[in-house]
């Protein structure tokens, strides 16, 4: 089944429209007509081979919202016409400890990524959401609440669940003092979700001009991280921080803003490592640093249902596929407000 997609042919050339072949529909598969796909910073890291794992040709995109057009004979969860989402995973081993616990993102064999993964059936690459269609096993498809504007839902499938998962896993609750570092795609979802959970949110940003937006999105306080005085004023004020920055940076100033027993969770995956943090304050104040990888299918559904109930979607700029390189360039400058989303119907292939 040949379809049109935006393809990265190597790390240096711009993405261009080409045809790719999707796998034939399997018994458990759902074929989706893609309506919208968010543009995650991971797509840019991967298109440019910044993590040194990219295999070309590569079709990015793992924030997919679309409509079911066909289902395999064993599909029970979905039917043609349903509005559904697909995030970062399209399969996993289903047998290991983590798969059994419904934490497929930590599958011991490694989950099958929506793109640049190995398709179980064809042995070929998996192809992402910058495309007209995708074929996915029903277990890795989620339902989208009917009430939400669909373009703004797309970024929830990666950016949303990636910040939702650590907030839930580490039991962030109403009244907690939560810091969010970086107001990009992930960061702006962290501000929205943490404040909707009742936490009091402080946003750290390198872009003073984003301050007003942060307050509108739900933050109670904005700290310009390059201003030493503002950072000093925020010392030992937070219980929990989600660091959503895509570039290497010094973690020590953020650790200093945590109270005793506080935790810094890293979700950004920079091309180069962060410098090692100073352990002394970590020891003296029993601080923790954690990482967190996306979120499970179950968490993705819970987050979407929460967003449906609280009327939460991403703040987006809608683009056509042919504008992707401009979008990447603006993303690199930290200039996105706050997620680009590709409108497949507006795209000329
Ligand atoms: P994004 O929209 O580009 O946002 C990143 C933000 O980081 C920028 O808006 C900027 O915020 C800040 N920033 C950028 N460069 C900086 C620098 N040199 N120093 C300090 N701050 C800087 O990216 P995203 O899509 O949210 O993704 C963020 C990171 O998370 C990426 O590395 C991505 O690959 C990773 N990611 C991880 C997972 C996971 O499973 N853990 C899932 C998805 C994405 P300010 O202007 O406010 O400073
Ligand atoms: Zn992503
Ligand atoms: Zn597994």
């Amino acid at each position: 089944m040949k379809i049109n997609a935006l393809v990265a042919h190597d790390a240096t050339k711009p993405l261009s429209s080409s045809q790719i072949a999707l796998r034939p529909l399997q018994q458990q598969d759902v074929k989706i007509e893609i309506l919208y796909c968010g543009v995650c910073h991971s797509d840019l890291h991967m298109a440019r081979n910044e993590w040194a794992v990219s295999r070309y040709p590569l079709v990015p995109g793992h924030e997919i919202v679309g409509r079911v057009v066909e289902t395999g004979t064993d599909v029970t969860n979905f039917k043609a016409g349903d509005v559904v989402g697909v995030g970062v995973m399209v399969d996993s081993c289903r047998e290991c400890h983590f798969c059994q616990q419904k934490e497929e993102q930590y599958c011991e064999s490694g989950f099958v990524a929506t793109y640049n993964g190995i398709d179980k059936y064809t042995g070929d690459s998996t192809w992402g959401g910058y495309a007209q269609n995708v074929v996915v096993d029903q277990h890795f498809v989620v339902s989208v609440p009917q009430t939400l504007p669909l373009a703004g839902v797309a970024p929830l499938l990666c950016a949303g669940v990636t910040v939702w998962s650590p907030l839930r896993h580490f039991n962030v609750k109403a009244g907690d003092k939560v810091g969010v570092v970086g107001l990009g795609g992930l960061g702006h979802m962290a501000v929205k979700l943490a404040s909707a959970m009742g936490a009091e949110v402080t946003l750290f940003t390198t872009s003073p001009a984003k301050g007003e937006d942060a307050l509108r999105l739900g933050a109670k306080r904005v700290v310009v991280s390059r201003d030493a005085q503002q950072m000093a004023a925020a010392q030992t004020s937070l219980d929990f921080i989600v660091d959503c920055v895509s570039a290497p940076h010094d973690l020590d100033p953020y650790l200093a803003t945590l109270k005793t027993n506080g935790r810094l969770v890293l979700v950004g995956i920079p091309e180069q490592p962060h410098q090692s943090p100073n352990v002394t304050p970590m020891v003296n104040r029993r601080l923790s640093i954690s990482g967190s990888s996306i979120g499970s299918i179950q968490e993705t559904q819970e987050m979407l249902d929460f967003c449906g109930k609280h009327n939460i979607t991403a703040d987006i700029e809608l683009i056509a596929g042919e504008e992707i390189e401009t979008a990447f360039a603006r993303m690199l400058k930290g200039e996105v407000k706050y997620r680009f989303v590709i409108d497949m119907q507006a795209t000329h292939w």
Side-chain angles (χ1 to χ4, degrees):
M1 180 191 327
K2 291 248 179 180
I3 59 154
N4 293 309
L6 288 174
V7 181
H9 291 281
D10 70 37
T12 55
K13 289 200 197 74
L15 268 61
S16 60
S17 175
S18 301
Q19 292 220 312
I20 51 163
L22 296 182
R23 77 176 179 219
L25 202 71
Q26 306 294 310
Q27 290 170 344
Q28 293 283 344
D29 279 350
V30 173
K31 183 181 176 192
I32 299 164
E33 178 200 359
I34 300 176
L35 300 172
Y36 300 105
C37 186
V39 178
C40 179
H41 204 115
S42 302
D43 300 345
L44 175 56
H45 290 307
M46 287 293 286
R48 304 282 190 261
N49 197 21
E50 289 175 359
W51 294 332
V53 295
S54 304
R55 288 175 294 107
Y56 300 96
L58 180 151
V59 177
H62 56 210
E63 294 185 335
I64 299 169
V65 167
R67 208 180 299 282
V68 174
V69 289
E70 204 179 336
T71 55
T73 49
D74 290 350
V75 171
T76 47
N77 301 351
F78 303 100
K79 57 178 189 323
D82 288 354
V83 178
V84 295
V86 175
V88 179
M89 301 180 283
V90 289
D91 218 327
S92 69
C93 86
R94 324 271 181 113
E95 284 165 3
C96 73
H97 169 74
F98 291 100
C99 286
Q100 294 284 324
Q101 287 205 141
K102 301 194 171 169
E103 290 190 305
E104 309 87 352
Q105 74 274 35
Y106 301 112
C107 174
E108 286 168 2
S109 310
F111 64 79
V112 179
T114 303
Y115 63 87
N116 201 59
I118 303 287
D119 188 298
K120 259 187 196 173
Y121 298 95
T122 63
D124 198 358
S125 272
T126 52
W127 308 115
Y130 295 5
Q132 291 178 306
N133 297 90
V134 66
V135 167
V136 184
D137 187 300
Q138 64 169 344
H139 181 76
F140 289 81
V141 177
V142 290
S143 297
V144 168
Q146 297 293 320
T147 49
L148 297 174
L150 296 185
V153 169
L156 303 180
L157 275 303
C158 173
V161 74
T162 299
V163 296
W164 170 266
S165 177
L167 289 168
R168 298 291 297 172
H169 180 77
F170 294 111
N171 298 315
V172 168
K173 52 188 187 314
D176 283 358
K177 309 275 190 285
V178 171
V180 173
V181 189
L183 198 67
L186 271 58
H188 97 291
M189 287 314 308
V191 171
K192 288 190 183 206
L193 291 171
S195 57
M197 288 175 187
E200 195 181 304
V201 176
T202 296
L203 174 81
F204 295 97
T205 181
T206 60
S207 313
K210 292 182 185 174
E212 236 171 78
D213 281 346
L215 298 175
R216 176 178 57 78
L217 297 170
K220 284 276 174 311
R221 174 170 68 159
V222 175
V223 173
V224 175
S225 52
R226 288 183 175 147
D227 181 328
Q229 260 182 334
Q230 288 190 31
M231 288 300 280
Q235 266 194 23
T236 60
S237 64
L238 300 172
D239 300 298
F240 186 87
I241 299 175
V242 193
D243 186 330
C244 304
V245 172
S246 50
H249 59 282
D250 187 358
L251 302 179
D252 289 339
Y254 299 104
L255 290 171
T257 67
L258 286 170
K259 300 181 204 169
T260 298
N261 288 327
R263 182 183 298 274
L264 170 67
V265 179
L266 301 170
V267 291
I269 313 173
E271 183 180 0
Q272 303 296 330
H274 300 302
Q275 75 182 60
S276 174
N278 181 2
V279 299
T280 309
M282 295 184 64
V283 170
N284 289 347
R285 294 191 297 113
R286 197 159 58 186
L287 304 178
S288 303
I289 297 182
S290 305
S292 187
S293 175
I294 47 172
S296 66
I297 296 301
Q298 184 172 295
E299 284 175 313
T300 306
Q301 191 63 63
E302 283 167 9
M303 176 271 313
L304 284 173
D305 295 344
F306 179 90
C307 288
K309 202 165 137 206
H310 293 264
N311 203 21
I312 295 172
T313 51
D315 283 26
I316 61 153
E317 293 187 55
L318 208 54
I319 58 168
E322 45 273 39
E323 296 171 89
I324 187 65
E325 289 297 326
T326 319
F328 278 166
R330 280 188 46 204
M331 181 178 253
L332 261 185
K333 289 193 260 173
E335 257 184 36
V336 188
K337 294 201 166 175
Y338 281 90
R339 197 57 139 190
F340 286 113
V341 172
I342 303 173
D343 180 348
M344 295 308 154
Q345 279 149 346
T347 298
H348 299 95
W349 300 103

